[in-house]
Structure formats: structure tokens, C-alpha cells
Amino acid sequence: MNDDVILSVVVGSRAYGLETDASDTDRRGVFVAPTSAFWRLDKPATHRDGPLPEQFSWEVERFCSLALDANPTVLECLWSPIVEVITPAGRRLRDLRGAFLSQRAHRSFTGYAEAQFRRLDPDRMNWKQAMHMVRLLLSGQHLVREGEPLVGVGAHRERLLAIRRGEVPWGEVDAWRAALSAELAAEPSVLPELPDRERVEEFLVGVRVENLPSPVPGPAGAPLQLRAEKA
């Protein structure tokens, strides 16, 4: 694991309680680029793959921007029950997760599910994708009702796994999807209208300050130099 990672969690079927013997272990994380890297013309990467298989990480600023827009995948990282790496900065990020929530979730969760729906072909059905489409709508519905996304699927597990196995007729799956989409769009929300951008920005500035280059004492009367950070 890279030493700039502040948070790494398991997502996907293993986090949702929908894993099978063949399931991969999907990991998502947050890393912090050195603050001095932003002083250059070429900015640091906003995301990266690996080093483990099925692992993807965002730079902390990009992660915060996506979370403020209620990106379902990013938000669910903050509620994953399987945390593999967490530093003090990562713990502050998890503690801040409520600040990212807003009524934008109505649109984002519905929109992501609709995008998955459009990619499904009833004649060549991807039942795993169909299952995750319904699961995403259940998660969004729970979020606007209860104030947090539904990660572990609980009582819905057996029905969702039946979809994955292709045991539920497509018409029934589509009817469930349509009902959940309509309910989510019309659901009165416990979420604030807008996220708490000020608190998120305060966290981000604090992380950047923590990752400033270290000052190096110069000769008597000379200004301090900055020690370059290790990339």
C-alpha cells in the first residue's frame, strides 16, 4: 500500500453482503498528493489504479469534489464497513461524511441507476449488473429516508442474489426498478438542501497544510528554506 494513502476500504459485493465464492475484492481509497506538487505547471494525478488488483484511489481533493456532488460510489466509500487502512486524516474524513450529504442524492443515485439500466440488454442479460442497479436504488432510497446510504443490504439480500442468479424474470426486476426510481424521485428527504462545503474545505485546507514541505533553518539572519517533500 502506498504511504500517501489516508483511507482504503472494500466496496462492491463483499461490502454489500452480496459476495459469492467467485467475487473479487474491490478496493477504493483516498490518497494525498504532496502540497508542493500543486505549485508546478504539471499537477498531480486526480486518481490512480492499483497497486492491488481491483483497486482504485482518488486524490483527496477529487474525492471531496465527487462526494459533494453526491457521487454514489464515492459516498458509499465513507460508509463501507470494511476499512483496511485509515490514518488520522482518513479518520477525520470519515467523521466528516455527513457534511457531504445533500438532496443532490435524489438526482445522482437515480441517474447512476438509469445509466446502468440503459446498458442492460434483456436479450443478453447481465444479471449481476441488474442486481447492482436495484441495489443502488435501494441505497439511495435509504439515504434520503435515513440520512445514510444502505451499504449492507440486509433483508433484501436473498431477493438480490436471486436476481444475480437469473431466477427473477426480467419483467419483475424492471417493475421493481421503476417503482424504486419513482419512490426515490418523490421521496421527502431528511437531507439538507446543500452539502456543508465550508466544513469540507476546512478539512481539505488542513490536509494541505499538513503536507507542506518542512522548513530548513538557514544561516543566521537568512530566510528559512523549504525542504522538498518526497514524492
Side-chain angles (χ1 to χ4, degrees):
M1 191 69 65
N2 300 77
D3 59 9
D4 58 357
V5 171
I6 63 170
L7 180 66
S8 181
V9 302
V10 174
V11 296
S13 294
R14 295 193 183 279
Y16 308 146
L18 293 168
E19 72 276 12
T20 67
D21 292 341
S23 293
D24 295 323
T25 299
D26 299 310
R27 293 178 170 89
R28 297 293 179 268
V30 183
F31 67 95
V32 178
T35 301
S36 60
F38 292 90
W39 302 344
R40 304 183 178 99
L41 290 174
D42 294 325
K43 304 303 180 187
T46 59
H47 59 272
R48 68 186 180 210
D49 291 304
L52 297 174
E54 307 300 329
Q55 184 174 32
F56 182 91
S57 300
W58 297 272
E59 207 284 322
V60 63
E61 184 173 335
R62 178 60 174 164
F63 182 90
C64 288
S65 295
L66 291 170
L68 286 167
D69 284 336
N71 178 291
T73 303
V74 169
L75 287 181
E76 287 179 349
C77 290
L78 295 172
W79 271 268
S80 171
I82 309 175
V83 179
E84 296 188 320
V85 175
I86 189 165
T87 68
R91 190 166 292 108
R92 294 199 305 274
L93 178 60
R94 289 268 290 195
D95 290 345
L96 187 67
R97 59 193 182 182
F100 293 103
L101 300 180
S102 73
Q103 293 175 23
R104 294 172 182 173
H106 287 259
R107 180 192 70 248
S108 65
F109 277 74
T110 302
Y112 273 70
E114 286 296 323
Q116 291 182 353
F117 174 67
R118 288 193 297 271
R119 290 195 294 268
L120 289 171
D121 180 354
D123 295 325
R124 302 178 64 183
M125 180 55 62
N126 182 331
W127 291 108
K128 179 180 177 180
Q129 186 175 334
M131 176 193 72
H132 283 299
M133 171 190 67
V134 174
R135 186 213 62 81
L136 184 62
L137 289 168
L138 289 167
S139 181
Q141 186 182 69
H142 192 271
L143 173 58
V144 301
R145 286 179 176 176
E146 306 295 336
E148 61 180 46
L150 182 69
V151 180
V153 296
H156 303 288
R157 182 175 186 273
E158 292 308 316
R159 190 177 181 190
L160 288 169
L161 287 175
I163 293 175
R164 181 175 183 154
R165 293 190 297 265
E167 297 171 357
V168 181
W170 169 243
E172 184 177 330
V173 175
D174 189 29
W176 193 11
R177 174 205 64 82
L180 287 170
S181 293
E183 290 169 11
L184 180 55
E187 189 78 40
S189 181
V190 301
L191 300 176
E193 181 179 359
L194 296 172
D196 193 338
R197 186 182 177 91
E198 184 175 343
R199 285 180 62 202
V200 173
E201 191 162 74
E202 182 181 358
F203 160 77
L204 182 59
V205 170
V207 169
R208 296 294 185 228
V209 170
E210 289 173 356
N211 286 271
L212 283 168
S214 304
V216 180
L224 294 179
Q225 305 295 314
L226 291 178
R227 179 186 291 117
E229 299 160 310
K230 294 181 180 179

